[in-house]
Amino acid sequence: MADIIQLLPDSVANQIAAGEVVQRPASVVKELVENAIDAGATDIHITIVDAGRTLIQIVDNGKGMSETDARMALERHATSKIRTAKDIFAIRSMGFRGEALASIVAVAHVELKTKRKEDEIGTHIIIKGSEVESQEPISFQTGTLFQVKNLFYNIPARRKFLRTNETELKYILAEIYHAALGHPHIAFTVYKDGDLHAKYPATHLKQRIITIFGKRFEKSLLSIESESSICKIHGFIGTPDTAKKHNFNQYLFVNNRFFKQRSFQNAVIRAYGNLILPQEYPPFFIFIEVDPAHIDVNIHPTKTEIKFVDEYSINSIIESAVKYSLGKSNIVPSLDFTDDTDYNDMFSTPQSEIKAPSIRVNTNYNPFASHKADVKNWEQLFEDFENQPDPDIPEQTFASALHLESSEPHVPEATCLQIQKKYIVTQGKTGLLLIDIKRAHSRILFEQFLQQIQTSTHASQKTLLPIQIEVTHSECVILKQILPELQSLGFDIEEFGSQSFVIQGCPSSLETTHVESIIRDFIYDFNENHTNITEKMYESVAKSMAKTSALYRNVHMQQDEMQVFISQLFQCESHSLSADGKVAVVLLEYDEIFKKFN
Ligand code: ADP
Ligand code: MG
C-alpha cells in the first residue's frame, strides 16, 4: 500500500490556525491593536463597520515595516519578536507567535499600507484568498494601516455563527478597553459605522479609567501600590459603595497585558471582607509587573489565562495591597471589620493620619510564607459563636428592619434558634430546616414587590432631584435600546449629552433612592440575557427592589419574629430560593441525622 501521509499546503494550515486565532471580529481587532502597540505606536485609530463584518481598519503611527518585512509578516511563524526559544522567557511584547497576520489573511481580504521613518516610500499590499494580488510602492505616512474586509468570506459556517451586531460590537469594545486601559499613554480613536465613537487621549491610568467608565469613578477610586522582590503592583480599586452585582469592571493586567485569574479576583474580594455584600463585585484595575520568566507566556493565542510561578504569593500580595488601600482611606475602621483575616503593613509605612487601631494589625504576617488553609477548627468555631458581639443594630427591631406586617399569622409550634445571627434552625416535618436569613428575606421581599408592581398602575413619581447616570459606550448602546420600555413603565428618563442620561421620575412603586442601581441592573440583565425586556421587567424591578431593600447586616431576632419570618417565607411560591436564585433553605433530613449517630 502506498504511503498516505502528506504535508498540508500552507493555505490549509493557515485556515486551520485561523480557526483558533480568529474566532470573531473582536479577535482581529485584538491582534491588530496589539501589533500596533508592539510597533511602538502612540496614536491608534480603529474603524469598525458593521460590527467588523464588513471592515476592520487599524491605523498606527508605529515604526512601520520594510518592503520585505511587510511581505514576510503575513507568513505563518513570521515574527520579529523572538529569534530563539530562549527569547520566549523574556517576552515583553503583546504578540510573539507570528500567527496572527497569517491567520487573518487566510479568512479575509486584507490590505496593508506601511512605511518606516527611514524610508522615502512605503509598501502597499493587497491580499485576496491568501494570495498576494498586488504589491506596489506607495506614498504613506510613517506607520501601518491594516484593512480587513469581508471577514470569514470563505468560511460561511463561521460567518453564520457570529452573533448580532450589538454582541459582536460588545466583544470588540471589550478588546479596545483592555488595550486602552493597559496602555493609557497611547491615544485611541474609535470610529463606528462612519461616526466617531470614542476618543481616548493619551493620559495616565486614572484619567483613562474615568474617560472609559464615566465620571462616577472620579471620586471613588483608591490607588493601590506595592513593591517586593516577587512583583510590583499598582492600580486602582473602587470604594466599597461602587461594588456591583456584576464583575464587568474587574481588570487585571500582567506586564500591561489583560488577563483573567479567578484566584486573584477572589483575593481582592477577600480583602474587602464584609465591606461588600456576598454577591457584590468591587471594580478594580490592577497592574502586576513580574519578570517575564516567571509567567508561562506560551499560552493559547486567544486565551486570557496566564500561569504564574508565584501565583500563591502574588495572591497574598494583592490581598494585602487592597486591604492596605482600604485601611488607608479610613474605610475599613468606620465599618464592621470583624473579619479574622490578617492585615499587614509590610508594603509601605503607614502615615500618621492613618487610624489603624480599629484594624487588627499582624506585623508578623508574611505573605510569602506558605499558607494554612482558611479552615477553622471546631474549638475555634465554638469560640466564635460564644464571642458573638451584640447585635449590630440594637435600636432597630428585626420586624421593622424586615418591613414585616404585624398582622401576619404566627407559627407557634416549633422553636427557632438563631445561629451567628445569620441562620435560623427550626424543625420541619421530615428534618431540620436551616434558613439563610438574608437570602430568605430577599425572597420574601421579592414576592411582595412583584405582587405590588403587577397590581399597581405604573404611575410615575418625580424624583426629588434629577438623577444623572454616566454610562460606558457599550452600556449606552444597551440603554438606548431599552429606553422606550423603561419610559412606558413609568421611568422619566432621557438621553442627556453623550454617555449620559437624566432621570426625573420613576414608577411610584419604586424607592427613588434605588433608581440608579435599578437602571444599571436592567442594563446588566439585558446585556447578559438578551431576553425580551418587557417580560423580564416586573421581575427585574422586584428583584432589584428586593436586593436593595434586603438586610445588609446580620440582626438579632426574637423568637416570635423568627416565627413570623418563617411563616412569610413559606407563603412564598419559591420559598427555598433567594430572589436571585441562590439556596435559601437547606433541609437536613432526620434520617441523615440518625445515620450520623450510627
Ligand atoms: P507576532 O505579533 O506574534 O509577531 P503577527 O503575525 O501578529 O505576529 O505579526 C508578524 C510581524 O509583523 C510582527 O512580528 C511585526 O514584526 C510585524 N508587524 C505586524 N503588525 C505590525 C505593525 N502594525 N507595525 C509594524 N510591524 C508590524
Ligand atoms: Mg501579533
Side-chain angles (χ1 to χ4, degrees):
M1 206 165 111
D3 297 332
I4 50 171
I5 297 179
Q6 294 181 7
L7 280 178
L8 285 177
D10 268 1
S11 59
V12 179
N14 283 343
Q15 264 201 29
I16 294 170
E20 291 189 353
V21 181
V22 188
Q23 293 179 333
R24 53 179 7 119
S27 333
V28 174
V29 174
K30 172 179 189 278
E31 295 296 339
L32 296 184
V33 168
E34 287 187 353
N35 280 348
I37 294 170
D38 284 345
T42 55
D43 194 7
I44 300 176
H45 288 245
I46 303 163
T47 304
I48 307 294
V49 176
D50 205 10
R53 286 167 217 262
T54 312
L55 173 72
I56 294 168
Q57 175 181 289
I58 313 285
V59 186
D60 69 57
N61 64 349
K63 65 175 184 242
M65 286 176 267
S66 71
E67 190 187 341
T68 322
D69 281 352
R71 192 68 178 257
M72 270 294 282
L74 309 169
E75 299 290 329
R76 196 133 163 263
H77 304 308
T79 179
S80 56
K81 298 165 195 173
I82 55 170
R83 292 193 184 277
T84 68
K86 210 173 84 213
D87 294 342
I88 295 177
F89 301 103
I91 205 86
R92 285 208 176 261
S93 53
M94 308 291 284
F96 69 93
R97 297 167 64 112
E99 269 179 347
L101 294 181
S103 301
I104 294 169
V105 299
V107 294
H109 298 146
V110 176
E111 204 166 326
L112 157 65
K113 293 177 187 169
T114 187
K115 187 185 86 68
R116 295 183 303 178
K117 199 168 158 196
E118 61 266 41
D119 297 335
E120 284 275 294
I121 212 87
T123 306
H124 181 189
I125 298 177
I126 299 177
I127 300 185
K128 288 214 167 107
S130 283
E131 301 289 333
V132 177
E133 202 181 71
S134 81
Q135 173 165 355
E136 281 167 1
I138 190 180
S139 140
F140 194 65
Q141 74 263 20
T142 297
T144 302
L145 169 149
F146 266 100
Q147 258 186 9
V148 176
K149 289 186 214 155
N150 307 322
L151 184 61
F152 300 135
Y153 74 98
N154 53 352
I155 316 181
R158 210 20 104 84
R159 213 174 155 86
K160 241 191 252 160
F161 179 73
L162 293 179
R163 312 247 322 252
T164 60
N165 273 8
E166 291 90 69
T167 306
E168 293 302 335
L169 194 64
K170 245 174 43 195
Y171 283 111
I172 291 174
L173 291 176
E175 293 299 348
I176 296 175
Y177 289 172
H178 299 161
L181 286 168
H183 305 271
H185 57 282
I186 299 179
F188 289 84
T189 312
V190 185
Y191 303 90
K192 185 185 118 268
D193 298 320
D195 293 328
L196 175 68
H197 182 70
K199 204 169 170 61
Y200 308 139
T203 180
H204 51 82
L205 178 60
K206 185 172 181 183
Q207 189 52 48
R208 174 67 46 101
I209 295 171
I210 294 165
T211 314
I212 296 181
F213 296 100
K215 287 205 195 72
R216 68 198 150 108
F217 275 118
E218 211 153 36
K219 295 207 174 68
S220 50
L221 290 175
L222 307 173
S223 77
I224 70 164
E225 215 159 336
S226 143
E227 194 170 342
S228 68
S229 56
I230 288 175
C231 66
K232 268 196 210 170
I233 289 181
H234 79 276
F236 292 92
I237 58 170
T239 48
D241 58 299
T242 57
K244 290 271 174 306
K245 79 169 184 186
H246 61 74
N247 59 3
F248 284 174
N249 297 336
Q250 301 196 326
Y251 291 90
L252 291 167
F253 297 84
V254 59
N255 300 344
N256 296 333
R257 172 201 289 273
F258 172 80
F259 74 105
K260 286 183 186 153
Q261 183 100 325
R262 236 323 126 71
S263 67
F264 292 173
Q265 275 174 292
N266 290 341
V268 178
I269 290 170
R270 265 201 315 279
Y272 276 76
N274 48 17
L275 293 172
I276 55 172
L277 291 175
Q279 297 88 27
E280 283 185 339
Y281 300 90
F284 58 75
F285 309 87
I286 296 179
F287 287 70
I288 304 167
E289 294 282 323
V290 290
D291 179 343
H294 288 199
I295 47 178
D296 181 2
V297 284
N298 202 12
I299 38 165
H300 188 280
T302 59
K303 278 200 181 140
T304 42
E305 287 94 23
I306 287 191
K307 279 202 200 120
F308 287 77
V309 174
D310 301 308
E311 176 175 343
Y312 217 78
S313 309
I314 297 175
N315 211 301
S316 309
I317 294 172
I318 291 176
E319 187 178 344
S320 305
V322 173
K323 274 188 182 170
Y324 183 74
S325 168
L326 290 167
K328 198 168 81 167
S329 62
N330 276 339
I331 288 171
V332 176
S334 67
L335 281 153
D336 183 22
F337 196 69
T338 54
D339 195 9
D340 56 9
T341 31
D342 296 327
Y343 181 75
N344 87 91
D345 63 347
M346 68 175 295
F347 297 106
S348 43
T349 29
Q351 287 125 37
S352 53
E353 76 270 19
I354 300 161
K355 290 197 193 111
S358 33
I359 312 167
R360 265 182 287 146
V361 180
N362 177 358
T363 43
N364 295 325
Y365 177 66
N366 176 1
F368 311 119
S370 68
H371 275 241
K372 291 188 206 96
D374 192 18
V375 184
K376 293 176 194 141
N377 55 31
W378 278 103
E379 292 86 332
Q380 206 185 335
L381 201 72
F382 187 66
E383 210 173 87
D384 284 349
F385 182 43
E386 283 197 323
N387 293 339
Q388 276 298 304
D390 289 327
D392 298 312
I393 323 175
E395 300 85 355
Q396 190 184 24
T397 68
F398 184 77
S400 71
L402 287 175
H403 316 291
L404 291 184
E405 307 281 331
S406 50
S407 58
E408 285 300 326
H410 284 217
V411 198
E413 310 90 67
T415 314
C416 303
L417 175 67
Q418 194 183 9
I419 295 177
Q420 294 199 322
K421 288 191 288 174
K422 287 189 192 138
Y423 310 101
I424 298 174
V425 182
T426 190
Q427 289 183 55
K429 275 198 200 115
T430 56
L432 283 186
L433 294 171
L434 310 178
I435 299 166
D436 181 308
I437 297 171
K438 281 186 197 168
R439 291 186 180 180
H441 184 220
S442 76
R443 165 57 54 183
I444 296 172
L445 289 175
F446 169 65
E447 297 206 1
Q448 278 177 2
F449 285 140
L450 191 62
Q451 219 181 6
Q452 269 173 31
I453 298 167
Q454 280 168 342
T455 51
S456 72
T457 52
H458 305 310
S460 193
Q461 58 174 335
K462 278 236 164 300
T463 53
L464 209 54
L465 290 169
I467 300 166
Q468 199 173 333
I469 301 191
E470 310 283 343
V471 291
T472 65
H473 292 297
S474 42
E475 286 171 347
C476 186
V477 174
I478 298 163
L479 190 48
K480 278 189 198 162
Q481 276 179 55
I482 62 174
L483 215 54
E485 278 131 310
L486 288 174
Q487 285 159 346
S488 74
L489 255 180
F491 287 94
D492 177 359
I493 174 168
E494 273 167 19
E495 224 180 322
F496 186 68
S498 78
Q499 290 190 65
S500 175
F501 289 79
V502 67
I503 307 168
Q504 312 210 48
C506 67
S508 41
S509 49
L510 223 65
E511 280 238 32
T512 56
T513 42
H514 299 152
V515 173
E516 180 171 350
S517 73
I518 286 174
I519 298 280
R520 289 198 187 279
D521 281 349
F522 282 155
I523 297 174
Y524 168 74
D525 281 340
F526 185 67
N527 186 44
E528 276 293 278
N529 308 320
H530 269 265
T531 42
N532 181 345
I533 192 91
T534 336
E535 280 170 26
K536 285 266 163 191
M537 194 64 96
Y538 290 155
E539 262 197 34
S540 319
V541 174
K543 217 179 260 183
S544 309
M545 285 165 69
K547 252 209 99 174
T548 33
S549 326
L551 283 171
Y552 256 68
R553 287 157 177 252
N554 306 327
V555 287
H556 177 72
M557 294 169 85
Q558 304 293 345
Q559 192 59 224
D560 57 339
E561 288 171 337
M562 286 191 268
Q563 285 169 343
V564 172
F565 183 74
I566 290 171
S567 120
Q568 288 209 334
L569 177 64
F570 283 87
Q571 280 169 27
C572 289
E573 235 167 77
S574 313
H575 55 254
S576 57
L577 297 176
S578 71
D580 46 10
K582 301 226 168 71
V583 175
V585 181
V586 172
L587 175 71
L588 194 57
E589 288 187 39
Y590 295 131
D591 278 355
E592 276 178 58
I593 301 175
F594 293 141
K595 268 187 221 144
K596 288 206 190 296
F597 293 101
N598 267 340

